[in-house]
Amino acid sequence: MFSFFKTFQEDIKAVFKNDPAATGIIEVLLTYPGLHAITFHRFVHFLWKLRIPVIPRFLSHINRFLTGIEIHPGAKIGKGVFIDHGMGTVIGETAEIGDYCVLFHQVTLGGRGNEKGKKRHPTLKNNVFVGAGAKILGPVVVGENSKIGADSVVLDSIPPNATAVGHPAVVIKINGKKIGNYCKLRHRKSIEHKVVEEENEENS
């Protein structure tokens, strides 16, 4: 129980940290659907882990009706996660969201197949930012501190400290340095090689 309230405190702090429009604790508690959806989900996820049938799915359905945010009971969500606006956001069953991530409205953490018992949805490491309308599909991993641009479609894993945009998404920055020619994620080894080459040129 203590752990739940500590996590709830971190979720509230995340609202004030990420939304300059938040003016007071009462306003946040009453009017932020992202906070409501995540808090409700933590209870539903607890029931899911107890393998209680039907009820967790029904409660997640109510959660979607009340907040416009669909979170499968099986999804794992870390502390301090902030969903801004939230309407139309979908988080799949095997999705995992690390601590202090930020998601905007109409984000989808979805699957690309219907295989049961396997990891089908994305994993977001800590401090990931996902812009409005972005779709991250399949069992890909988005590395720590990475940013996904609005309306991007991510089909491959993203390295840490990267910025990716586009449809399909391409990495345009790693560690704050621009990547030449907007290399595609499926050629991530060439991206890493390009960064090394640029660093060597700067040092020479």
Side-chain angles (χ1 to χ4, degrees):
M1 186 63 71
F2 176 76
S3 176
F4 173 83
F5 283 109
K6 191 171 181 61
T7 300
F8 184 57
Q9 286 181 326
E10 291 298 314
D11 293 342
I12 292 174
K13 289 179 183 177
V15 175
F16 286 104
K17 177 183 177 182
N18 293 288
D19 188 2
T23 59
I25 186 65
I26 300 300
E27 177 189 48
V28 168
L29 292 174
L30 294 179
T31 66
Y32 276 73
L35 179 64
H36 300 159
I38 290 174
T39 303
F40 197 19
H41 169 74
R42 297 198 192 285
F43 171 68
V44 173
H45 182 65
F46 173 75
L47 298 180
W48 176 265
K49 289 194 296 183
L50 294 178
R51 299 184 181 276
I52 296 175
V54 182
I55 293 176
R57 291 299 302 269
F58 178 68
L59 292 177
S60 70
H61 183 71
I62 294 175
N63 195 9
R64 181 180 66 173
F65 176 78
L66 295 175
T67 66
I69 299 169
E70 181 175 341
I71 309 175
H72 190 282
K76 298 177 182 178
I77 299 180
K79 63 185 177 183
V81 172
F82 177 55
I83 301 177
D84 199 8
H85 302 294
M87 181 61 71
T89 295
V90 178
I91 301 172
E93 177 185 6
T94 62
E96 299 177 46
I97 302 176
D99 298 337
Y100 306 111
C101 291
V102 176
L103 285 67
F104 277 77
H105 52 285
Q106 295 185 332
V107 164
T108 298
L109 304 183
R112 286 186 286 173
N114 58 2
E115 299 170 321
K116 292 185 177 181
K118 291 186 177 181
K119 172 77 168 165
R120 306 187 313 278
H121 302 93
T123 295
L124 309 185
K125 297 295 187 177
N126 298 339
N127 300 301
V128 169
F129 176 95
V130 185
K135 316 300 179 196
I136 307 176
L137 305 176
V140 301
V141 176
V142 180
E144 291 189 355
N145 308 309
S146 288
K147 298 179 181 179
I148 308 300
D151 288 324
S152 298
V153 178
V154 177
L155 302 175
D156 296 277
S157 292
I158 308 286
N161 305 302
T163 300
V165 299
H167 182 187
V170 295
V171 171
I172 61 171
K173 284 184 181 180
I174 296 180
N175 295 320
K177 294 186 177 182
K178 291 183 178 180
I179 303 299
N181 300 322
Y182 291 77
C183 302
K184 292 188 177 180
L185 293 177
R186 63 178 62 94
H187 299 140
R188 199 169 73 191
K189 289 185 179 179
S190 68
I191 293 173
E192 294 168 352
H193 180 67
K194 181 72 174 176
V195 172
V196 172
E197 283 185 341
E198 291 176 351
E199 289 178 347
N200 290 338
E201 289 176 1
E202 290 179 0
N203 295 330
S204 61

